[in-house]
Amino acid sequence: MSEADENSTVAARITEAIAERIIAGALKPDMPLRQDHVAREFNSSHVPVREAFRQLEAQHLVIALPRRGVRVAPLDAGSVREISEMRAALEVVALRHAAPRLTPAHLARIELALIEGDNAETLQEFEAANRAFHQALVMPCAMPRLLASLDGLQRANSRLVFAMGHSSGWRPRSNQDHRLILGALRARDIEQACSLLARHIQTIERLTAPAT
């Protein structure tokens, strides 16, 4: 493996590790990230660390500020609103294209994610099931660019879920919105499913929006 390939592999590993920490809330908003500390932890040079920081910035998980360096991106009301409005628009577009292609196997996968969410006993289990539910809804849309955008937005949403759960305390519960969306899809009522999905995402914004 060439040095460039090795640096790229290490950068990807650092990116994923730090991204997961930010999403899960282990790294708090505005926390500084220092190149030398990260390089030491991953036993790497500064080259892959700088590349990892660039990738994390592209994912809107960190920000680079003059004289303040690289820091974990904030979770303010503006960020929450942006994530919610983009998800509500793009996920509904994806569902509108996916719904006519949903097979019994697709619907079973959606239902399994719903059940796993209902049975979740930890915030981590709930978040994974929630992410799986929303991914299963839109996967058949056959629009790879749209799915890639939604994947990034879903990761951002996962960060909101963890932040809300850690701050307010999370308890196991069923998700009635998910059940209603699945019911509309089983009835082949695409417009109702899209309307329910948009309302569901907008409800999440109200629940997770930081106090101003």
Side-chain angles (χ1 to χ4, degrees), residues 58-203:
Q59 295 174 27
H60 306 287
L61 292 174
V62 307
I63 55 175
L65 300 172
R67 295 183 298 280
R68 295 189 67 199
V70 175
R71 311 181 82 83
V72 176
L75 268 181
D76 53 23
S79 300
V80 173
R81 189 178 307 111
E82 180 183 22
I83 293 164
S84 174
E85 290 185 4
M86 288 182 69
R87 279 191 67 215
L90 296 182
E91 201 165 319
V92 166
V93 169
L95 180 59
R96 200 178 297 281
H97 285 81
R101 299 182 170 92
L102 290 172
T103 65
H106 288 131
L107 291 169
R109 195 172 299 122
I110 294 169
E111 184 172 22
L112 176 61
L114 185 155
I115 292 169
E116 289 176 343
D118 286 350
N119 293 336
E121 296 183 354
T122 67
L123 179 58
Q124 289 74 16
E125 290 176 358
F126 171 78
E127 188 279 326
N130 183 66
R131 191 188 302 196
F133 177 87
H134 284 273
Q135 288 175 336
L137 281 183
V138 299
M139 191 58 66
C141 76
M143 303 172 77
R145 293 177 182 82
L146 179 55
L147 289 174
S149 296
L150 284 173
D151 184 62
L153 287 169
Q154 189 59 47
R155 285 166 69 88
N157 183 76
S158 295
R159 190 180 176 206
L160 298 179
V161 170
F162 278 119
M164 179 180 66
H166 292 320
S167 65
S168 61
W170 182 85
R171 292 177 177 82
R173 62 189 183 278
S174 62
N175 194 317
Q176 186 62 19
D177 283 356
H178 284 188
R179 201 168 298 282
L180 291 172
I181 292 166
L182 176 59
L185 291 173
R186 287 196 184 280
R188 296 296 174 182
D189 191 341
I190 297 175
E191 289 306 315
Q192 176 69 355
C194 289
S195 176
L196 288 167
L197 178 61
R199 187 190 71 183
H200 171 60
I201 294 171
Q202 288 157 0
T203 300

